[in-house]
Amino acid sequence: MTTNDGLEKLRGWFTGRLPDGWFEDAPEVVLDREEISVIGRLAAPQVTDDVSEAERSGVIAGHVQRFREDTRERRVDIAREAEHRFGRKVSWGVRCGDETTMFTQLSVPVMTRLRQSERRVLDTLVDAGVARSRSDALAWCVRLVGKNADDWLAELRDALQHVERARAAGPQV
């Protein structure tokens, strides 16, 4: 399912399954081992040019909340169907204007072993109040790397897709 072809089939299934008019175009579908995230773009609400940035932000937040409430029952039904079909939990989110809002997301425990110098980094973040716990500090570090290494991570993901295609073309054992 993590191959590019599998992701395209998944995106196609959601695009075909979602009600017409929910999103401006096909949703973005992000996949990992545990979760499928479906993120659609909402049409921005109409506001006049003279409104403040705070009011514009409030209008978008209200628009997103209304969409979330109005579509909840249908999203739950589609998510149950997809979870049964694809064996992963489904998370929902939207983009509206420059804002991305995730309605649901999994928080999956990840086991790791760290050396003392690495634990000290986490403890420093906790002691400084940047994070509440080592777990939060580690999540903060991962988000920071993800934010600052987007180009490198995109190149790495692209290389992994080439490896997956080569494996799929090879002999089946």
Side-chain angles (χ1 to χ4, degrees):
M1 177 66 70
T2 58
T3 64
N4 201 33
D5 187 46
L7 183 59
E8 289 175 2
K9 286 180 183 176
L10 188 65
R11 186 181 312 114
W13 185 86
F14 274 101
T15 300
R17 183 64 181 85
L18 295 176
D20 293 337
W22 269 17
F23 303 127
E24 287 188 319
D25 48 19
E28 175 186 1
V29 176
V30 181
L31 177 69
D32 71 9
R33 292 177 182 138
E34 294 86 16
E35 181 177 22
I36 301 167
S37 295
V38 180
I39 306 161
R41 176 160 294 283
L42 296 179
Q46 297 297 317
V47 293
T48 60
D49 291 336
D50 61 341
V51 300
S52 68
E53 198 54 43
E55 186 174 350
R56 183 180 314 278
S57 179
V59 169
I60 289 174
H63 184 62
V64 167
Q65 187 62 31
R66 180 171 34 121
F67 175 83
R68 181 179 189 182
E69 291 170 5
D70 290 349
T71 62
R72 179 174 283 123
E73 191 173 316
R74 292 289 301 275
R75 285 186 294 107
V76 168
D77 290 342
I78 293 167
R80 282 190 188 124
E81 186 178 337
E83 288 166 7
H84 177 73
R85 183 180 189 112
F86 302 113
R88 290 178 171 92
K89 290 291 186 186
V90 175
S91 298
W92 296 94
V94 294
R95 286 200 175 84
C96 189
D98 295 333
E99 301 288 322
T100 298
T101 304
M102 293 302 296
F103 301 153
T104 53
Q105 286 181 295
L106 289 182
S107 182
V108 179
V110 177
M111 178 64 84
T112 186
R113 296 181 187 277
L114 300 175
R115 290 181 165 55
Q116 185 180 34
S117 63
E118 297 159 335
R119 293 190 310 268
R120 288 181 64 211
V121 170
L122 300 181
D123 291 341
T124 300
L125 293 171
V126 172
D127 293 344
V130 173
R132 294 180 310 229
S133 64
R134 283 180 170 176
S135 178
D136 286 342
L138 187 56
W140 182 86
C141 290
V142 169
R143 284 191 300 273
L144 184 65
V145 168
K147 179 181 175 185
N148 292 316
D150 280 342
D151 293 339
W152 179 77
L153 289 170
E155 188 176 325
L156 188 59
R157 287 184 185 112
D158 186 48
L160 286 171
Q161 288 180 350
H162 291 292
V163 170
E164 288 176 4
R165 281 195 292 273
R167 282 186 186 147
Q172 303 298 315
V173 285

